[in-house]
Amino acid sequence: MAIRRILTIDNPADLAILKQVSKPVDAVDDGVRALMDDMLETMYDAPGIGLAAVQIGDLRRVVVMDLGDGPAPEGAEQAAEGEETRVPNPRFFVNPEVLWASDETYCYEEGCLSIPEYFDQVERPARVRVAYLDSAGQRIEEEIEGLYAVCFQHELDHLNGVLFIDHLSRLRRDRAMSKVKKTMRLREDA
């Protein structure tokens, strides 16, 4: 496993890759699983909750995600009221797709590892029926909602060359680009 460099929108070469449509994966093999392991390690290191392969420069339709919503270990104590308990729950998606989307929408403040330190409200379908291959190559279909649905749609957008800021007005999108460029300059100067 290796931590890979995450492409960011302030770099024109990175942005050109991020705007490309990823190619379907023919089979989930050891090479794809190794890619997913690298992606998961990269995502945890960043830290983030989702990562598409294109974000590390690989144009295959592969996504990893961990919302920290795994089942609590047997015998674990309940978190105190107001405390958040995060239990790792890595998920792997190959050739993900949305089969159906609800008319009802859900607004969530999204962020992105390729758009560092910028967050904004994005409205998406509240529930979606999705299909994908898991890390064993088995086809899964499920209906999802909440943060899981938001994250799935966000990462699927990446595979289609769409960034979450593309859902914003031109003014807010330009503001995001300016903020990210400034953030990245400050990081380089530090």
Side-chain angles (χ1 to χ4, degrees):
M1 293 197 320
I3 295 173
R4 309 268 195 102
R5 183 179 78 82
I6 296 172
L7 307 182
T8 55
I9 64 169
D10 63 301
N11 178 315
D14 287 0
L15 183 58
I17 294 168
L18 289 167
K19 298 304 276 178
Q20 292 185 41
V21 176
S22 297
K23 306 286 186 248
V25 173
D26 292 330
V28 181
D29 57 19
D30 288 342
V32 172
R33 283 187 280 277
L35 169 66
M36 291 189 285
D37 288 344
D38 286 356
M39 290 171 62
L40 203 58
E41 187 172 354
T42 301
M43 182 191 74
Y44 287 144
D45 182 68
I49 61 171
L51 188 70
V54 66
Q55 291 179 271
I56 59 168
D58 190 309
L59 289 170
R60 288 182 275 181
R61 296 186 77 79
V62 177
V63 167
V64 298
M65 187 184 308
D66 190 338
L67 306 178
D69 59 352
E74 192 173 314
E77 289 185 30
Q78 292 271 144
E81 190 173 329
E83 260 185 44
E84 188 177 330
T85 302
R86 296 186 55 81
V87 178
N89 187 21
R91 293 177 168 108
F92 306 93
F93 308 89
V94 177
N95 299 333
E97 60 182 318
V98 171
L99 304 173
W100 168 87
S102 68
D103 291 333
E104 177 190 357
T105 60
Y106 180 67
C107 201
Y108 189 83
E109 186 175 69
E110 295 186 27
C112 181
L113 297 175
S114 293
I115 308 171
E117 298 181 37
Y118 184 81
F119 302 88
D120 212 326
Q121 296 287 325
V122 177
E123 190 173 7
R124 297 183 184 274
R127 290 182 328 281
V128 289
R129 181 149 191 82
V130 300
Y132 56 89
L133 300 177
D134 66 10
S135 61
Q138 298 297 309
R139 182 176 167 84
I140 307 291
E141 282 191 29
E142 61 183 327
E143 190 168 311
I144 59 178
E145 62 185 0
L147 181 58
Y148 186 10
V150 167
C151 194
F152 187 96
Q153 293 171 84
H154 175 111
E155 300 306 331
L156 182 59
D157 273 355
H158 273 299
L159 300 180
N160 293 323
V162 176
L163 301 169
F164 90 88
I165 60 174
D166 294 333
H167 293 281
L168 307 177
S169 68
R170 182 174 193 86
L171 175 66
R172 288 167 51 205
R173 193 169 43 249
D174 290 346
R175 187 179 308 145
M177 292 291 286
S178 295
K179 183 173 182 185
V180 170
K181 287 178 181 178
K182 181 179 179 181
T183 297
M184 298 309 280
R185 272 195 313 271
L186 291 172
R187 282 185 185 177
E188 289 172 8
D189 292 344

